[in-house]
Amino acid sequence: VSTLDDVGHEHGPDSPQVDSALVAVDRVLGRLRAALAASPVADRVHLVVASDHGMRAVTRRQTVDLARCDAPLAGVLSADPGPTVALWFDRLPAGERAARREAVHAALARCLRAAGGHATVWRREETPEAWGIRGQPRAGDLLVAGEPGWQVRIGAARPDSTDPDGTRVSGAHGWDPAVDPQMHAVFLAAGPQLVAGATLPPVENVDVAPFVARLLGIPAPRGADGDGRTLAAALRPAPPDLLLVLEKD
């Protein structure tokens, strides 16, 4: 099933190649459903189809190169070029880290504003709360996030003889789904405890694990960020004896 993601990155989400990959994935799901229907436990099986992200068409022309900014990036570790770039300062001497972080933040903020505002630099502790990374050092000390359709990198991309003018369309994901609907994904589910034909509000992926745990009658994962509320409308009313099991902490 991950082939669809690979093809989307290579050719873009609106390409004929993605259409062909979708047909192949649909056939796989069709074979799975046919096998489940013939199984002796067919009336007990729930099938959940989820995706972790959408896909947006991009070109190399819509790239913000942080190397063009007059920011003191020497010795700063970077990772994840694409919709975001993360920067870490922990390889610098301890006494220099805080001042360097602020100097880089100020320089990048000025540069990005002057370049059209296609990306924003964040201190990790000031990122949107919904991102859930404020207390996660692995997310970087600074995070530079492109606006939808714009990617961020440090330094020029490697020459590509197949795309000399930077206009070839490919695909990418990683922008905030709260501001970019093209990052929205697929969620489908069917089974004996589910309402057929129910239309759900937007589903958050953090709710999938608690939802599946509820279908199985087991406790939700400890420390899970979601609670399954966005999927509650899909559940059939449970009989009292079953409800006691499903609601148990």
Side-chain angles (χ1 to χ4, degrees):
V1 177
S2 63
T3 300
L4 184 59
D5 182 70
D6 297 337
V7 174
H9 278 296
E10 180 66 22
H11 299 285
D14 303 315
S15 64
Q17 292 88 343
V18 163
D19 291 343
S20 297
L22 278 169
V23 170
V25 170
D26 186 69
R27 287 173 178 162
V28 170
L29 290 175
R31 290 198 297 270
L32 176 60
R33 292 189 65 191
L36 290 174
S39 166
V41 296
D43 60 347
R44 295 163 49 197
V45 173
H46 292 84
L47 179 63
V48 177
V49 179
S51 173
D52 56 343
H53 56 73
M55 186 77 75
R56 170 180 277 279
V58 296
T59 68
R60 293 197 303 161
R61 281 192 171 183
Q62 289 185 266
T63 300
V64 176
D65 182 2
L66 302 184
R68 297 183 178 182
C69 297
D70 186 20
L73 293 172
V76 177
L77 179 66
S78 66
D80 302 325
T84 63
V85 163
L87 303 173
W88 290 266
F89 295 80
D90 52 1
R91 291 189 176 182
L92 300 175
E96 298 179 13
R97 295 170 190 169
R100 178 74 78 84
R101 187 184 82 146
E102 292 309 303
V104 170
H105 181 277
L108 291 180
R110 288 193 302 269
C111 174
L112 295 173
R113 284 195 299 268
H118 297 301
T120 302
V121 58
W122 302 85
R123 299 177 183 90
R124 186 182 69 245
E125 65 272 18
E126 296 173 349
T127 54
E129 187 174 2
W131 292 4
I133 63 171
R134 291 181 179 178
Q136 299 293 334
R138 292 175 60 188
D141 301 310
L142 295 180
L143 191 72
V144 183
E147 68 178 13
W150 284 79
Q151 301 187 83
V152 187
R153 64 181 305 114
I154 300 176
R158 290 178 297 178
D160 185 346
S161 60
T162 67
D163 185 28
D165 59 358
T167 59
R168 181 171 62 84
V169 174
S170 58
H173 52 82
W175 293 278
D176 185 351
V179 298
D180 186 4
Q182 293 191 38
M183 294 300 99
H184 293 184
V186 169
F187 180 87
L188 300 169
Q193 294 183 49
L194 303 179
V195 178
T199 300
L200 301 174
V203 173
E204 296 190 15
N205 277 355
V206 293
D207 282 339
V208 174
F211 171 73
V212 171
R214 184 167 185 174
L215 293 177
L216 295 173
I218 62 176
R222 291 185 178 180
D225 291 327
D227 56 18
R229 291 182 187 177
T230 60
L231 292 160
L235 293 167
R236 294 181 184 274
D241 58 335
L242 182 59
L243 186 62
L244 289 175
V245 175
L246 296 179
E247 291 292 330
K248 185 177 180 182
D249 290 333

